[in-house]
Amino acid sequence: MIETLLTNYEEAAAVILFGIGFTTLLFQRNLIKKLIGMNIMDTGTFLFLASMGYIRDRKAPIITDGITDVSAYINPVPAGLVLTGIVVSVSVTAIMLSLSVRLYRRYHTLDLDDIYILSKHQTEDR
Amino acid sequence: MDFIWNFPLFTIVLSLFSGVLCMVLKRRTARTYTMIFELILICMTGAVLFYTIRMDGSFTYPMGEFPAPWGNEIRAGILESMIALLFLIVMFCSVLSGRKFLELDIDESKQNLYYTLINLMTAALMAMTWTNDIFTGYVFLEILTLTSCGLLIVREIGRTTLAAVRYMIMNLLGSGLFLLGVVLLYDVTGHLLMVPMHEEISVLASDPAAMTVINMAIGILTIGLSIKSGLFPFHYWMPDTYGWATPTSGSVLSALVSKCYIFLLIKIYLRVVGLPIFAGMPIRNILLVLGMCGIVMGSVSALHADNINRMVAFSSAAQIGYIYMGIGLATEAGFTAAVFQIMAHAVTKSMLFLTTPRLAAVSGDSLKFRNLQGSALRDRSAGVSFCIGAFSMIGIPIFAGFSAKLQFATAAVYSGSSVKLVLVMLVLAISSLLNALYFIRTIIRIYSPAEDEEQRWPVRGRINYNIPMAVLTAANLMLGLFSWVIADLIERGFASFV
């Protein structure tokens, strides 16, 4: 068990990071900390993908010295997926930050529980 | 390759383009453009549906004409076309009929941006329905999340912002899990396209070590998508989200967005995993149990709601439970019932969410039950629409809800397990009873005259409300009266799935 974890230490670290991020996103009350958690969670997934996509002693998939043998290069797709994932993660973070700003302007706190209690007292019923 | 093969791609790309275009258009132009554009999309998807029914199968459109294991693909079969057509019709009706409230809720200078969001959302819905590539599914799933968040926050009151933040947090948890599931599946199979993935999984099915990883990946992915679609116990964000949004957004979010996630899940189960392997996975029983809990708990919460929108939103949680219950049966009949329920619920719930604000508008802008007394008499067309929606939800024959429930019952009979049969029947009975309780109570409330009724003039339904309602009612009746035709089409769709 331990041995398997040690040989796959990158994947193990990635899953631990994912867990840390996930619980932070779920249980932290502060919005900014939640966002940090989300980014840690996504980074964990990217690390997992990147480490799985890399094969030791192989080169980046750019043909050099005329070697066209597939076994000389790594698969470029995981790297592409990581890039796409990063773009998605950045845009989601941007939207969430702008929402946090809007909430802070209105309620003057970033604590979600406090905001929830404050919003209960509002009379915006329709 | 016929020209019609391009249509699914057109629905995605043109919607993306329209989204950008609406940013620079004036408010009215953007509105007219979006309506006409949606009609064109409906015609295109209708054409694809007829084409696939006539060829009795499906076609796969390779993007950039790269062959199977490398390129990105779009696949159009009977099932995808049907779901896409229904999504577009519901989207069209929601936008048309929620217009009046849109103008009240959103600042005039920003209204064209609302249509931008609607178009981007259409692109995401279409892409998730048509795609044959699981990672494309992930990317458009995130676009769908972002646009649905946008649709929520356009109504700038504190509560929608809070609801949007909570909605986003749940959705981000869901997306994170979905991505991890996709990555694990990719690691095991080495493919992202659904067909090669399925071939690889069929080979790996005999290897217990690989099956552990596949089970885990599918489990993680399922939890992610069930958080996003609001399966019990993850349904508590629903009432705030749907209840405070502007009516078009509420209708689109409850009727289309959550259904689209489930449709993607069904595609993954049937096209990536395959029914025989899925039927042996532990996740199916978890889905069955959670679905049943969702049905009962959603209905009980709806019974306690003091606000008509919260009641309808909690009933959504119950209806989502039905869909997962059908999936959890892990038979073809169960999946057919689940897809049928997706369609029935999409047409019914959008109708209810578009109607409740009109009832509120003639009751001093209040959604509380005590103020809604006699509101159906003041706005007769809204009253009629609410009744049709409610009857369908309760499961009165000739409406869509009845046929859906009948299909779940039939699927349970053929599931081959007496425990499942008894449980499903029991849950169906309890939920129908509870549905009848809270919906009939509401109908009585909105039809019993308030004390000062004579002094008020009844409001006439406007044409841009009546037409969408007529379309949705027609769709509802068609699903109810011709359920065997639709069920047959769904089964034919499944047959060409693998």
Side-chain angles (χ1 to χ4, degrees):
Chain A
M1 177 70 190
I2 297 290
E3 203 177 328
T4 328
L5 282 181
L6 283 180
T7 32
N8 296 316
Y9 66 95
E10 283 159 338
E11 286 78 8
V15 171
I16 291 169
L17 273 182
F18 185 91
I20 293 172
F22 190 84
T23 41
T24 313
L25 178 55
L26 194 59
F27 295 123
Q28 277 290 344
R29 288 160 59 179
N30 187 303
L31 260 176
I32 301 296
K33 288 185 185 165
K34 268 185 189 291
L35 275 181
I36 295 173
M38 185 205 96
N39 276 294
I40 295 175
M41 177 176 87
D42 281 349
T43 313
T45 321
F46 301 150
L47 175 62
F48 190 92
L49 202 50
S51 70
M52 279 303 207
Y54 178 71
I55 301 169
R56 197 175 290 272
D57 301 328
R58 290 200 191 178
K59 292 204 179 73
I62 302 161
I63 294 179
T64 39
D65 306 332
I67 303 169
T68 50
D69 186 15
V70 183
S71 62
Y73 304 107
I74 59 163
N75 182 0
V77 175
L81 299 186
V82 171
L83 278 181
T84 318
I86 289 174
V87 172
V88 169
S89 160
V90 165
S91 46
V92 170
T93 312
I95 284 222
M96 281 302 283
L97 282 174
S98 69
L99 275 178
S100 314
V101 170
R102 197 191 261 193
L103 270 186
Y104 186 78
R105 283 208 184 122
R106 192 166 191 102
Y107 297 107
H108 306 290
T109 171
L110 281 171
D111 189 307
L112 259 188
D113 289 0
D114 290 351
I115 294 176
Y116 191 66
I117 293 165
L118 285 171
S119 78
K120 281 271 178 195
H121 297 301
Q122 282 184 340
T123 48
E124 292 173 326
D125 282 21
R126 191 180 69 188
Chain B
M1 193 199 284
D2 288 333
F3 182 67
I4 206 165
W5 283 36
N6 294 301
F7 281 8
L9 179 66
F10 284 172
T11 59
I12 303 168
V13 176
L14 291 180
S15 303
L16 283 174
F17 173 73
S18 305
V20 181
L21 186 67
C22 281
M23 285 173 81
V24 293
L25 291 180
K26 287 265 193 305
R27 177 174 68 100
R28 280 170 190 280
T29 331
R31 192 174 67 208
T32 321
Y33 171 78
T34 307
M35 296 318 334
I36 294 171
F37 176 68
E38 292 281 341
L39 278 179
I40 295 172
L41 288 190
I42 289 174
C43 294
M44 278 188 184
T45 319
V48 176
L49 178 60
F50 275 111
Y51 181 83
T52 46
I53 289 177
R54 252 185 52 197
M55 75 188 278
D56 194 19
S58 63
F59 59 84
T60 308
Y61 179 88
M63 311 266 283
E65 307 205 347
F66 290 109
W70 292 288
N72 196 338
E73 282 177 356
I74 280 176
R75 179 188 182 278
I78 299 174
L79 195 58
E80 285 98 333
S81 327
M82 231 173 10
I83 294 279
L85 183 65
L86 187 92
F87 281 179
L88 286 170
I89 291 175
V90 172
M91 179 70 102
F92 177 78
C93 292
S94 304
V95 177
L96 190 58
S97 120
R99 208 181 95 180
K100 180 184 145 194
F101 296 100
L102 215 58
E103 282 162 9
L104 292 175
D105 285 341
I106 307 173
D107 189 49
E108 201 167 296
S109 60
K110 289 182 187 163
Q111 280 178 21
N112 60 330
L113 295 179
Y114 191 82
Y115 294 103
T116 299
L117 287 172
I118 287 284
N119 280 314
L120 290 179
M121 180 174 264
T122 311
L125 287 172
M126 290 300 105
M128 277 173 72
T129 316
W130 297 122
T131 188
N132 206 10
D133 179 288
I134 200 165
F135 200 79
T136 310
Y138 165 71
V139 172
F140 279 95
L141 175 136
E142 290 282 17
I143 294 180
L144 194 58
T145 308
L146 290 178
T147 48
S148 46
C149 173
L151 289 188
L152 273 176
I153 53 172
V154 284
R155 191 170 173 220
E156 292 182 55
I157 59 173
R159 284 211 166 180
T160 50
T161 317
L162 180 60
V165 168
R166 284 161 55 119
Y167 178 76
M168 277 301 274
I169 290 168
M170 291 315 282
N171 269 286
L172 292 176
L173 291 169
S175 309
L177 287 172
F178 181 78
L179 180 61
L180 190 63
V182 168
V183 168
L184 280 173
L185 272 185
Y186 177 55
D187 279 339
V188 180
T189 60
H191 291 288
L192 287 167
L193 284 176
M194 291 184 181
V195 179
M197 243 174 162
H198 174 67
E199 284 161 6
E200 205 64 37
I201 287 182
S202 314
V203 174
L204 290 171
S206 53
D207 178 6
M211 269 321 275
T212 316
V213 183
I214 292 173
N215 264 326
M216 198 172 71
I218 293 291
I220 290 174
L221 192 145
T222 306
I223 297 170
L225 284 178
S226 58
I227 291 177
K228 285 170 94 76
S229 53
L231 173 67
F232 175 85
F234 314 113
H235 68 293
Y236 65 88
W237 50 265
M238 282 176 135
D240 281 338
T241 310
Y242 299 159
W244 297 106
T246 185
T248 306
S249 307
S251 154
V252 167
L253 286 178
S254 70
L256 305 183
V257 174
S258 54
K259 303 297 158 350
C260 200
Y261 297 135
I262 300 179
F263 186 65
L264 184 66
L265 192 62
I266 290 180
K267 268 172 74 159
I268 290 173
Y269 285 158
L270 292 183
R271 305 212 50 223
V272 176
V273 183
L275 192 53
I277 301 175
F278 175 67
M281 282 187 161
I283 191 80
R284 72 183 198 285
N285 288 330
I286 299 174
L287 285 182
L288 186 70
V289 172
L290 287 183
M292 285 179 179
C293 293
I295 296 171
V296 176
M297 295 310 289
S299 302
V300 170
S301 308
L303 207 55
H304 288 301
D306 63 339
N307 161 324
I308 191 165
N309 254 8
R310 288 183 79 83
M311 180 190 89
V312 177
F314 273 122
S315 118
S316 265
Q319 302 292 322
I320 297 278
Y322 278 114
I323 303 176
Y324 279 104
M325 185 174 78
I327 296 174
L329 287 174
T331 57
E332 193 169 319
F335 274 97
T336 310
V339 173
F340 192 89
Q341 168 72 4
I342 288 180
M343 299 171 126
H345 186 237
V347 292
T348 313
K349 200 40 65 80
S350 55
M351 201 162 173
L352 285 173
F353 269 115
L354 292 167
T355 302
T356 50
R358 288 186 78 89
L359 292 175
V362 291
S363 313
D365 265 355
S366 167
L367 287 162
K368 298 252 188 271
F369 281 124
R370 58 169 185 277
N371 299 324
L372 285 172
Q373 184 107 14
S375 53
L377 300 169
R378 295 191 287 274
D379 188 340
R380 288 184 188 276
S381 57
V384 172
S385 310
F386 187 84
C387 284
I388 294 170
F391 288 157
S392 173
M393 281 287 143
I394 298 168
I396 289 182
I398 85 164
F399 292 108
F402 171 75
S403 308
K405 283 180 185 170
L406 190 65
Q407 298 216 4
F408 281 114
T410 322
V413 171
Y414 289 116
S415 70
S417 148
S418 50
V419 182
K420 281 182 188 169
L421 174 64
V422 172
L423 278 176
V424 170
M425 291 296 180
L426 201 66
V427 164
L428 280 176
I430 294 173
S431 115
S432 297
L433 190 71
L434 290 173
N435 277 346
L437 264 178
Y438 59 78
F439 270 115
I440 289 185
R441 186 184 68 182
T442 315
I443 290 175
I444 292 174
R445 166 80 70 173
I446 61 176
Y447 270 105
S448 35
E451 278 131 28
D452 54 344
E453 198 56 66
E454 288 81 4
Q455 300 161 11
R456 297 185 186 167
W457 291 93
V459 179
R460 280 186 183 281
R462 287 292 177 77
I463 192 133
N464 63 11
Y465 172 76
N466 286 348
I467 288 180
M469 286 304 125
V471 172
L472 289 176
T473 309
N476 201 325
L477 288 175
M478 207 185 108
L479 285 172
L481 290 173
F482 301 104
S483 57
W484 42 276
V485 179
I486 309 284
D488 180 51
L489 284 179
I490 295 173
E491 274 163 16
R492 276 165 68 186
F494 280 146
S496 68
F497 240 24
V498 178

